[in-house]
Amino acid sequence: MAGAHFILRALLLAAATVAAAQAAAPLPDIPKGRGEKCVEDTALMRTNHMEFILHQRDETMHKGIRTSKHSLKECIDCHAVKGDDGLPVSVESPRHFCSVCHRYAAVSVDCFQCHNSKPESK
């Protein structure tokens, strides 16, 4: 019984250590978008944006349905971050809207192998 008690204490200590480390970890500084609010709730977008983008891709590429609500172009246009020169930064910049979270979460961004990571010039 003493062995089980020791294991339980060790597990509780490990869980407390992990929780303390997570609480102390700095969160990414996410740039704000231009608009009043996002097309979806912020928490929903943070969790499901990739599903929206993939759905939009399928609707556009396979069915020919083009809308702007979840289009990557609209995301980029609203969330573009400007550099010191006043021009939008590309995905290679650690300040790029997408890169901020993706680098934090250690997730690669492969959208911009084909798509522009900066808004088109007007």
Side-chain angles (χ1 to χ4, degrees):
M1 195 59 138
H5 206 188
F6 175 77
I7 292 173
L8 179 60
R9 281 186 165 188
L11 287 173
L12 288 173
L13 179 60
T17 302
V18 168
Q22 287 176 339
L27 295 175
D29 184 18
I30 304 169
K32 300 286 183 208
R34 282 190 298 109
E36 291 286 320
K37 65 179 205 159
C38 195
V39 296
E40 301 289 352
D41 177 69
T42 301
L44 180 67
M45 284 303 284
R46 287 180 180 164
T47 305
N48 298 305
H49 66 281
M50 197 61 213
E51 298 301 320
F52 294 136
I53 291 171
L54 290 175
H55 177 74
Q56 177 79 15
R57 178 207 60 195
D58 291 346
E59 292 289 300
T60 301
M61 297 301 294
H62 302 294
K63 298 178 182 177
I65 301 169
R66 292 190 176 271
T67 61
S68 61
K69 184 172 183 181
H70 296 125
S71 79
L72 186 60
K73 180 186 178 303
E74 294 294 321
C75 297
I76 295 302
D77 286 350
C78 186
H79 289 285
V81 175
K82 294 186 178 174
D84 296 334
D85 59 2
L87 298 173
V89 299
S90 74
V91 72
E92 287 84 22
S93 169
R95 294 173 56 192
H96 188 270
F97 180 82
C98 300
S99 293
V100 170
C101 286
H102 281 245
R103 288 175 197 242
Y104 178 82
V107 176
S108 65
V109 182
D110 59 3
C111 307
F112 305 114
Q113 293 170 340
C114 298
H115 296 278
N116 196 350
S117 65
K118 300 188 286 187
E120 293 177 11
S121 300
K122 304 255 184 213

Coordinates of all heavy atoms in Angstrom, one line a residue, residues 14 22 27 73 80 88 93 104:
A14 N 3.8 15.7 -10.3 CA 4.0 15.8 -11.7 C 2.9 16.7 -12.3 O 3.2 17.6 -13.1 CB 4.2 14.5 -12.4
Q22 N 2.6 25.4 -17.4 CA 1.7 25.9 -18.4 C 1.2 27.3 -18.1 O 1.0 28.2 -18.9 CB 0.5 25.0 -18.6 CG 0.9 23.7 -19.4 CD -0.3 22.7 -19.4 OE1 -1.2 22.8 -18.6 NE2 -0.2 21.8 -20.4
L27 N 2.0 33.4 -23.5 CA 1.1 33.2 -24.7 C 1.6 34.0 -25.9 O 2.2 35.1 -25.7 CB -0.3 33.5 -24.3 CG -0.9 32.6 -23.2 CD1 -2.3 33.1 -22.9 CD2 -1.0 31.2 -23.7
K73 N -8.1 34.5 -48.8 CA -7.8 35.9 -49.2 C -8.4 36.9 -48.3 O -7.7 37.9 -47.9 CB -8.3 36.1 -50.6 CG -8.1 37.5 -51.2 CD -8.7 37.7 -52.5 CE -8.5 39.0 -53.1 NZ -9.0 40.1 -52.2
A80 N -3.7 41.2 -42.1 CA -2.3 41.6 -42.5 C -1.7 42.5 -41.5 O -2.3 43.4 -40.9 CB -2.4 42.4 -43.8
P88 N 2.8 45.1 -45.7 CA 2.5 43.8 -45.1 C 3.7 42.9 -45.1 O 4.4 42.8 -46.0 CB 1.3 43.3 -45.9 CG 0.8 44.5 -46.6 CD 1.9 45.4 -46.8
S93 N 7.9 36.1 -41.8 CA 8.1 37.0 -40.6 C 7.5 36.4 -39.4 O 6.3 36.0 -39.4 CB 7.5 38.4 -40.9 OG 7.5 39.2 -39.7
Y104 N 4.1 29.2 -32.3 CA 3.9 28.9 -30.9 C 3.5 27.5 -30.7 O 3.9 26.8 -29.8 CB 2.8 29.9 -30.3 CG 2.5 29.6 -28.9 CD1 3.3 30.2 -27.9 CD2 1.4 28.9 -28.5 CE1 3.0 30.0 -26.5 CE2 1.1 28.7 -27.2 CZ 1.9 29.2 -26.2 OH 1.5 29.0 -24.9

